[in-house]
């Protein structure tokens, strides 16, 4: 590819030295990054031609920061995204504003220059909540600033917040709620009231979006300039297949990655993308629209004493109840709103008690460990079919980190899927999506899928940089893609993998491939931690990190990128704590300095996390 | 000089068997050790293996094969104490797959020890005052001796010689202590010498056995080096020396074949170590180091002649052998049940099918023997037929032992047919890397099929030495059996007839590469003729030759 560029690139205005410099930078970049670069350069040119100094880099291929407008007469959209949903809505909003002739700019929260806040007139925030009420990684700095005493008074500001969350967690939409309250406390005026969206956010988000752009147009009124937004890429050709219009992809391989004696099963799936036009980069996720397992649907129908064949009409759609429950609604994950309704209908005081303040731990436990059917069986209540379907959340797709690189596998995407399969009171409980995926066997097996880009989890464009990957369990999935990619790229930077599981013999996911990568020199180092093996020291990845802290710190000092993927609840904080300790110990730093060091890593996008 | 086999290079570069074993054991990425080290670890008494039943399954799981290690003890003459038995039992349950296996060479094998438990297991074995040094590899292996060595005063004396011989022929490297027992490292391995073996050890494995006629349980003619005890009036006079026996062969390679040892002469007991050393060093210096499958002593003797060989060892010994003395063997089988020894103590031999001591549907044998070991005051003897003798029992303790034997289902010898009692099988699948077909796991069905054919032809209860191996290397000494199956491919075997039941005559190929129905049909035909045409007392192995089932007429 580089040879190709060298021969076709006109020398143009550049001297040979700069030409070479440019080629060296361009050589390793992916097409999407190249497109972004062209827009960035255009933005810089625009600023120099009379715009404000101090261009800040946008997070990725988004709308330009560069529109020359009155600072006040402009819509600023900031998103805090962990899995890409907030970003998608923010981009959609940006496009909608543009279409109405509004000047708009879209920022990832981590890239937003907070000193601009005092000058904003119209700010829209789309922000999700992670796990137990935490902000997305990328938005931490922004929110900390907002909550701090440094935050300016914002009497001039109109704003609106769209909060995304998952009602199966107790602190639903916590981050959005906090931001909303704080902005109001700082004197800002709500343009449109906050909307809290559950996993099925589309309907609510679209309604909110319409009201925001209309409101913004009215408020900015005549001040709004006609569209002068600099496009950073040519009109983005929406891929033919998307979240809303998924591609029915063949499942060409589906078998266990775990051996006999494993404490849980993890399966390897290979999805055929041929004919879809879908492409992905390492770090991206694959969205899967699943169908609920027939056994789960039947169990729910039984618990309700409802006939699965009766027709239920909702949103002008008539379908048999069984079909609503199979492909239309979430049927395994519990939500707080549903529990509330069930408590009312069942008149069960025990259930109602869990929902009272002071019982958060019980609620968290219930939301995590119980499935819908457990609640139906334990706290029986009368439901008619329509009310029941209405009370459930629409089915949401599941996202899985793609475990391959197209450089290595062409038109395929590979997944490593942990099967949720456990017993509760001697009843088998299956995870809906993983059970669905596991069932996709044979020639006819197809899954409705789409690509969910994850710009926040990208390999360094500079292939000479070292990469440290921490991915216990199925968290190792994206790193299989990373290592495949780096190998295909001939990246000269070193690659260091940390993997952990319970058992060496049965749960060392992709063991043979890592061994091969070490043999070929693609993987420079591989550190392992197994937590339930008798004959070796029981360790978790964070323990392993500490043991090799000296080397790890020296890699970081050398400019390495650090990636963490996997469990957000315990692993990611533990790894973060280990990282702090390592930096403090081996960098000879105080707690605060170590904290700042790690924070800077994150700000520099060298400490990237994909945790869930 | 012809090019040496790659194994010779590995040995030469190994710094007296150290290689990179320490590094291999520490590599956390794999349950295997480095390829070169798989050769060297044999000298330490262990083989790297994997569960072949799930090899393909694991390949699809993108997992490496389920590697584990077999560990073999050195146990001269197969004797161990009850205390040792209890320790080995514990090791089997804690570190291995919960079974103790009695080998055809009177040793114990542990199976399924994973790499990260290898060192602990080795240390536990050594803590029981046993070791595994030279239990495998190109050295003198475990020295065998007739298992029931207490019938005359000569028997314990012979047993003492087996032990001395084993110690005398041990490698002297400190590598074993360094690697497994945390022994102090030798400052420079260049100063460390192997006085007997030299830096490249032997060209191939070397097996030795001592036998006390008339029971040829050790199959003395199947070994590189053998001693036939000559006992007169209960006193040991000396030994006939046998050299150049060996079972191993390669399918479809005429250059390789099993061989019955030659009797080379007679020696006095005190000459035994000097003779053994001369035989071993002659093989060290003249054995074939270019082609491993031609590297056993039997080929050295075959290629150069027995006369040359005797002259060479005579030169090395500095004395000549006397003419061989007469001897007579009656059987290779064990005598089951209680036998009284010369000193009035009693010995109970139990049938352990394929030598596998385990708690199975057949009975809780591992548990039972553990209970016996807790109360037994004599010792245990592993027989060359993979059986177990509870030895040196006081007359008044017999009833108690009998009670335990019945309680734990260990009284199989009282019920099994002669075929089942005498059959031998190697381990083969799923762990042995060389296996081409089932052996141990197929033995129960095979003995049943053979017994059915015998019974159908009115031969129920006829003695018959049946042996099966999963490959042609001959661990269960199949080429001396009256009927033998040697594995060719899954479910397919070469069928041999014609051993003499005394371990003195090789059998011969009857049918090549045949499946079970063909084998059963062939046995049925042969047994039908045997039933009709046999002479009084004629064994099936003898009949097979006379009737032309094998031999010139058959081919």
């Amino acid at each position: 590819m580089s040879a190709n560029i060298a021969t076709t690139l006109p020398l143009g205005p550049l001297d040979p030295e700069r030409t070479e410099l440019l080629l060296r930078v361009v050589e390793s970049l992916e097409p999407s990054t190249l497109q972004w670069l062209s827009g960035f350069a255009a933005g810089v040119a625009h600023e120099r031609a009379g715009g404000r100094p101090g261009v800040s880099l946008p997070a990725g291929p988004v709308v330009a920061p560069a529109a020359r407008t009155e600072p006040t007469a402009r819509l600023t959209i900031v998103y805090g995204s962990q899995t890409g949903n907030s970003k998608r809505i923010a981009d959609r909003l940006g496009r909608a504003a543009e279409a109405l002739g509004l000047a708009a700019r879209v920022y990832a929260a981590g890239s937003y220059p907070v000193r601009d806040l005092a000058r904003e007139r119209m700010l829209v925030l789309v922000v999700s909540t992670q796990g137990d009420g935490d902000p997305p990684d990328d938005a931490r700095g922004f929110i900390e600033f907002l909550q701090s005493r440094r935050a300016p008074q914002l009497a001039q500001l109109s704003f609106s917040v769209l909060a995304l969350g998952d009602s199966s967690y107790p602190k639903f939409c916590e981050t959005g709620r906090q931001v909303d309250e704080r902005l109001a406390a700082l004197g800002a005026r709500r343009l449109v009231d906050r909307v809290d969206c559950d996993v099925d956010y589309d309907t609510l988000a679209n309604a909110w979006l319409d009201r925001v752009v209309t409101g913004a147009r009215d408020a900015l009124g005549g001040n709004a300039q006609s569209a002068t937004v600099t496009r950073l890429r040519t009109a983005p050709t929406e891929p033919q297949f998307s979240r809303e219009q998924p591609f029915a992809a063949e499942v060409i391989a589906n078998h266990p990655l775990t051996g006999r004696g494993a404490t849980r099963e993890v399966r390897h799936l290979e999805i055929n993308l041929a004919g879809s036009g879908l492409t992905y980069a390492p770090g991206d996720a694959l969205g899967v629209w699943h169908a609920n397992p027939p056994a789960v649907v039947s169990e729910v129908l039984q618990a309700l004493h409802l006939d699965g064949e009766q027709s239920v009409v909702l949103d002008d759609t008539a379908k048999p109840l069984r079909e609503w429950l199979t492909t239309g609604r979430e049927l395994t994950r519990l939500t707080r709103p549903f529990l509330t309704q069930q408590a009312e209908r069942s008149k069960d005081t025990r259930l109602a008690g869990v929902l009272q303040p002071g019982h958060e731990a019980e609620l968290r436990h219930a939301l995590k460990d119980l499935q819908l059917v457990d609640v139906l069986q334990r706290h029986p209540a009368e439901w008619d079919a329509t009310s029941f379907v209405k009370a459930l959340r629409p089915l949401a797709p599941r996202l899985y980190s793609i475990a391959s690189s197209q450089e290595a596998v062409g038109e395929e995407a590979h997944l490593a899927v942990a099967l949720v399969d456990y017993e509760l009171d001697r009843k088998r409980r299956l995870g809906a999506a993983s059970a669905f995926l596991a069932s996709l066997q044979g020639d006819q097996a197809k899954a409705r899928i789409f690509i969910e880009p994850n710009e926040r989890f990208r390999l360094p464009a500079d292939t000479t940089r070292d990469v440290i990957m921490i991915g216990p369990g199925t968290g190792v999935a994206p790193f299989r893609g990373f290592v495949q990619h780096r190998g295909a790229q001939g990246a000269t930077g070193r690659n260091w993998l940390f993997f952990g599981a319970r058992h060496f013999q049965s749960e060392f996911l992709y063991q043979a491939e890592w061994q091969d990568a070490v043999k070929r020199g693609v993987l420079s180092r591989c550190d392992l931690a197994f937590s339930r093996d008798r004959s070796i020291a029981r360790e978790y990845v964070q323990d392993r990190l500490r043991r090799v802290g000296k080397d790890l710190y020296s890699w970081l000092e050398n400019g390495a990128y650090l990636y963490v993927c996997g469990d957000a609840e315990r692993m990611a904080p533990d790894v973060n704590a280990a990282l702090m300790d390592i930096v403090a110990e081996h960098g000879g730093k105080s707690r605060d300095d170590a904290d700042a060091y790690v924070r800077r890593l994150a700000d520099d996008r060298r400490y990237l996390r994909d945790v869930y | 000089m012809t090019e040496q086999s790659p194994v010779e290079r590995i040995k030469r570069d190994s710094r007296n068997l150290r290689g990179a074993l320490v590094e291999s054991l520490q590599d956390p990425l794999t349950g295997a050790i480095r390829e070169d080290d798989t050769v060297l670890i044999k000298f330490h008494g262990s083989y790297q293996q994997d569960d072949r039943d799930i090899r393909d399954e694991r390949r699809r799981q993108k997992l490496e094969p389920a590697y584990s290690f077999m560990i073999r003890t050195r146990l001269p003459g197969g004797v161990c104490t009850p205390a040792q038995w209890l320790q080995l039992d514990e090791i089997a349950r804690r570190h291995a797959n919960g079974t103790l296996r009695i080998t055809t060479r009177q040793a114990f094998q542990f199976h399924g020890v994973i790499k990260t438990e290898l060192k602990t297991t080795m240390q536990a074995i050594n803590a029981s005052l046993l070791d595994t040094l030279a239990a495998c590899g190109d050295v003198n292996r475990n020295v065998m001796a007739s298992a029931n060595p207490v019938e005359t005063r000569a028997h314990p004396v012979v047993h003492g010689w087996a032990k001395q011989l084993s110690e005398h022929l041990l490698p002297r490297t400190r590598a074993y202590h360094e690697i497994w027992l945390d022994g102090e490292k030798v400052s420079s391995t260049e100063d460390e010498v192997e006085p007997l073996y030299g830096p490249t050890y032997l060209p191939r494995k070397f097996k030795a056995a001592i036998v006390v006629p008339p029971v040829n349980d050790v199959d003395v003619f199947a070994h590189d080096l053998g001693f036939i005890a000559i006992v007169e009036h209960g006193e040991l006079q000396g030994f006939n020396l046998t050299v150049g026996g060996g079972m191993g062969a390669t399918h479809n390679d005429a250059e390789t074949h099993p061989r019955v040892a030659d009797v080379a002469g007679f020696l006095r007991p005190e000459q035994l170590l000097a003779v053994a050393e001369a035989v071993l060093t002659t093989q060290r210096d003249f054995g074939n180091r270019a082609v491993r499958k031609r590297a056993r002593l039997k080929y050295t003797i075959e290629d150069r002649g027995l006369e040359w060989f005797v002259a060479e060892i005579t030169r090395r010994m500095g004395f000549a052998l006397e003419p061989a003395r007469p001897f007579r063997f009656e059987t290779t089988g064990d005598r089951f049940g209680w036998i009284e020894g010369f000193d009035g103590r009693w010995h109970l031999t139990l049938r352990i099918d394929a030598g596998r001591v385990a708690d199975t549907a057949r009975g809780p044998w591992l548990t039972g023997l553990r209970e016996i070991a807790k109360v037994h005051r004599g010792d245990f003897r592993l027989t060359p037929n993979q059986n177990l003798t509870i030895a040196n029992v006081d007359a008044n303790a017999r009833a108690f032992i009998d009670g335990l034997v019945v309680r734990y289902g260990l009284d199989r010898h009282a019920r099994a047919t002669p075929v089942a009692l005498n059959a031998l099988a190697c381990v083969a699948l799923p762990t042995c890397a060389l296996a081409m077909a089932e052996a141990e796991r197929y033995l129960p069905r095979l003995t049943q099929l053979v017994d059915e054919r015998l019974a159908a032809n009115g031969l129920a209860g006829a003695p018959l030495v049946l042996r099966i191996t999963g490959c042609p290397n001959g661990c269960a000494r199949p080429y001396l059996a009256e009927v033998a199956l040697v594995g060719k491919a899954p479910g397919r075997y070469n069928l041999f007839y014609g051993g003499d039941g005394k371990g003195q005559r090789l059998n011969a190929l009857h049918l090549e590469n045949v499946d079970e129905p063909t084998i059963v049909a062939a046995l049925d035909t042969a047994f039908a003729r045997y039933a009709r045409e046999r002479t009084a007392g004629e064994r099936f192995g003898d009949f097979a030759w006379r009737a032309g089932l094998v031999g010139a007429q058959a081919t």
Side-chain angles (χ1 to χ4, degrees), chain A residues 182-371:
Chain A
R182 177 64 177 163
L183 285 172
L186 290 170
R189 189 182 59 85
R190 288 190 183 90
L191 174 72
V192 171
D193 279 349
R194 184 184 88 238
V195 170
D196 293 346
C197 297
D198 207 345
V199 181
D200 54 318
Y201 58 80
D202 268 341
T203 317
L204 285 177
N206 284 338
W208 170 85
L209 191 148
D210 287 346
R211 287 165 58 206
V212 166
V213 281
T214 320
R217 187 191 55 194
D218 295 349
L220 295 173
N223 281 344
Q225 296 211 339
S226 57
T228 54
V229 173
T230 310
R231 306 251 19 163
L232 290 186
R233 38 181 177 181
T234 50
T237 44
E238 290 278 331
Q240 195 187 343
F241 294 103
S242 63
R243 189 179 197 271
E244 290 72 27
Q245 287 193 304
F247 174 64
E250 246 183 301
V251 177
I252 49 185
N254 184 351
H255 56 76
L257 280 176
T258 42
R260 299 176 185 205
T263 49
R264 60 171 192 174
E265 181 169 314
V266 177
R267 300 184 74 84
H268 177 76
L269 274 83
E270 298 182 358
I271 313 280
N272 191 357
L273 301 180
S276 69
L278 291 173
T279 59
Y280 62 89
D284 285 347
L286 193 83
V288 178
W289 289 97
H290 64 278
N292 288 310
V296 175
V297 175
S298 299
E299 214 178 347
V300 166
L301 286 172
Q302 250 169 29
L304 294 169
H305 307 292
L306 288 177
D307 174 13
E309 309 320 312
Q310 67 180 288
S311 180
V312 174
V313 184
L314 210 68
D315 304 335
D316 302 329
T317 312
K319 285 192 289 192
L321 176 59
R322 186 182 298 280
E323 204 179 315
W324 277 110
L325 299 184
T326 302
T327 54
R329 287 295 180 269
E330 288 291 335
L331 214 50
T332 48
R333 288 182 182 172
L334 269 181
T335 65
R336 193 189 170 118
F338 181 84
L339 279 183
T340 310
Q341 291 194 51
Q342 182 77 6
E344 282 165 13
R345 283 176 180 264
S346 67
K347 313 256 187 294
D348 188 323
T349 49
R350 273 182 308 150
L351 185 55
V354 172
L355 293 158
Q356 296 306 310
H359 295 267
E360 283 78 12
E362 283 165 72
L363 178 61
R364 185 177 304 123
H365 170 78
L367 292 176
K368 188 165 168 252
D369 295 340
L370 298 184
Q371 292 197 347

Side-chain angles (χ1 to χ4, degrees), chain A residues 385-567:
Chain A
T386 308
S387 308
F388 185 67
V389 172
K390 260 189 188 158
L392 298 177
R393 291 193 303 185
L395 192 82
R398 305 286 193 265
L399 299 179
Y400 294 93
S401 299
I402 296 175
S404 54
S405 160
Q406 293 201 275
E407 297 285 338
V409 304
E411 287 190 299
E412 292 175 12
H414 298 181
L415 303 181
V417 177
L419 214 61
V420 178
D421 185 351
Y422 60 98
E423 285 205 349
L424 191 76
D425 293 346
R426 276 172 294 169
K427 281 184 209 146
R428 192 172 181 203
R429 292 285 170 256
L430 292 172
S434 63
F436 168 76
L437 286 172
S439 75
L440 296 176
Q441 307 275 359
D443 293 345
Q444 302 302 315
K446 287 198 170 178
R448 296 188 302 141
I449 58 101
F450 57 96
I451 301 290
E452 182 73 23
N454 184 2
E455 300 295 343
R456 297 179 43 267
F457 206 69
R458 285 278 182 262
L459 278 167
D462 180 354
T463 56
T464 65
R465 290 300 193 101
D466 294 341
V467 165
I468 301 168
M469 299 161 280
I470 302 166
T474 49
V476 82
F479 303 135
R480 181 172 180 261
F482 277 24
V483 170
Q484 284 181 353
H485 201 74
R486 297 266 283 183
Q489 279 182 320
T492 54
R494 296 171 296 172
N495 302 307
W496 186 356
L497 176 72
F498 289 85
F499 174 78
R502 286 176 178 170
H503 296 297
F504 167 83
Q505 179 101 346
S506 54
E507 298 176 15
F508 186 177
L509 306 182
Y510 298 110
Q511 177 189 31
E513 294 188 1
W514 303 127
Q515 289 177 345
D516 183 56
V518 168
K519 234 171 259 167
R520 287 185 295 118
V522 177
L523 203 53
S524 326
R525 224 175 139 164
C526 185
D527 272 73
L528 305 168
F530 296 98
S531 60
R532 301 260 178 105
D533 275 337
R534 203 173 43 143
S535 58
I536 47 178
R538 297 177 189 200
E539 282 186 317
Y540 295 93
V541 279
Q542 59 269 26
D543 306 321
R544 198 67 222 163
L545 287 173
R546 285 198 171 88
R547 272 173 185 264
V548 295
K550 188 160 176 277
D551 290 353
L552 191 89
Y553 182 70
S554 112
W555 278 53
L556 290 175
E557 281 291 278
N558 199 36
Y561 281 58
L562 184 83
Y563 299 84
V564 181
C565 180
D567 170 54

Side-chain angles (χ1 to χ4, degrees), chain B residues 297-360:
Chain B
L297 175 62
K298 61 184 174 180
Y299 301 116
T300 312
I301 291 176
E302 200 165 80
D303 293 347
R304 293 175 182 264
L306 181 64
E307 205 175 318
W308 167 86
F309 184 79
V310 172
E312 180 61 28
I313 60 167
T314 304
R315 193 180 65 74
R316 291 177 184 234
M317 298 183 302
F319 59 85
L321 296 169
E322 297 170 33
R325 305 271 179 97
F327 61 91
R328 197 177 67 82
F329 288 119
E330 291 170 359
T331 178
T332 57
D334 289 335
R335 285 173 287 183
F336 293 96
W338 288 102
I339 291 170
E340 187 179 8
F342 75 98
D343 55 0
R345 306 234 272 177
W346 290 83
H347 317 294
L348 172 63
T349 299
L350 305 175
R351 170 61 182 170
I352 308 290
D353 301 73
R356 186 71 69 173
V357 181
D359 289 346
T360 66

Side-chain angles (χ1 to χ4, degrees), chain A residues 134-145:
Chain A
D134 297 326
D137 287 337
D138 196 35
R140 281 171 193 273
F142 177 82
I143 287 165
E144 273 172 23
F145 174 82

Side-chain angles (χ1 to χ4, degrees), chain A residues 74 89 169 171 196 214 221 230 255 598:
Chain A
R74 164 184 73 185
I89 296 167
Y169 290 92
K171 292 188 177 172
D196 293 346
T214 320
T230 310
H255 56 76
V598 173

Side-chain angles (χ1 to χ4, degrees), chain B residues 452-529:
Chain B
E452 281 171 12
R453 285 310 95 206
L454 285 172
N457 290 286
L459 294 165
L464 182 78
V465 177
L466 171 72
R467 295 177 180 177
I468 176 171
T469 58
C471 84
N473 289 295
C475 288
R477 302 186 289 274
Y479 307 110
L480 292 166
E482 293 179 272
V483 173
L485 267 60
V486 173
K488 223 14 207 181
R492 302 189 79 88
Y493 298 86
N494 285 353
L495 177 62
F496 291 80
Y497 291 157
D500 60 4
K502 294 178 283 194
Q504 289 176 280
R505 182 181 66 217
L506 292 177
N507 55 23
L509 183 66
H510 176 59
L511 289 175
E512 192 172 359
N513 200 13
V514 286
D515 60 8
E516 184 183 89
T518 315
I519 292 166
V520 171
L523 288 173
D524 197 48
T525 311
F527 291 162
R529 281 190 64 190

Side-chain angles (χ1 to χ4, degrees), chain B residues 439-467:
Chain B
E440 180 181 337
R441 293 194 294 195
Y442 182 52
L443 183 65
R445 176 171 170 83
L446 177 65
T447 47
Q448 190 194 333
L449 290 170
V450 171
D451 273 328
E452 281 171 12
R453 285 310 95 206
L454 285 172
N457 290 286
L459 294 165
L464 182 78
V465 177
L466 171 72
R467 295 177 180 177

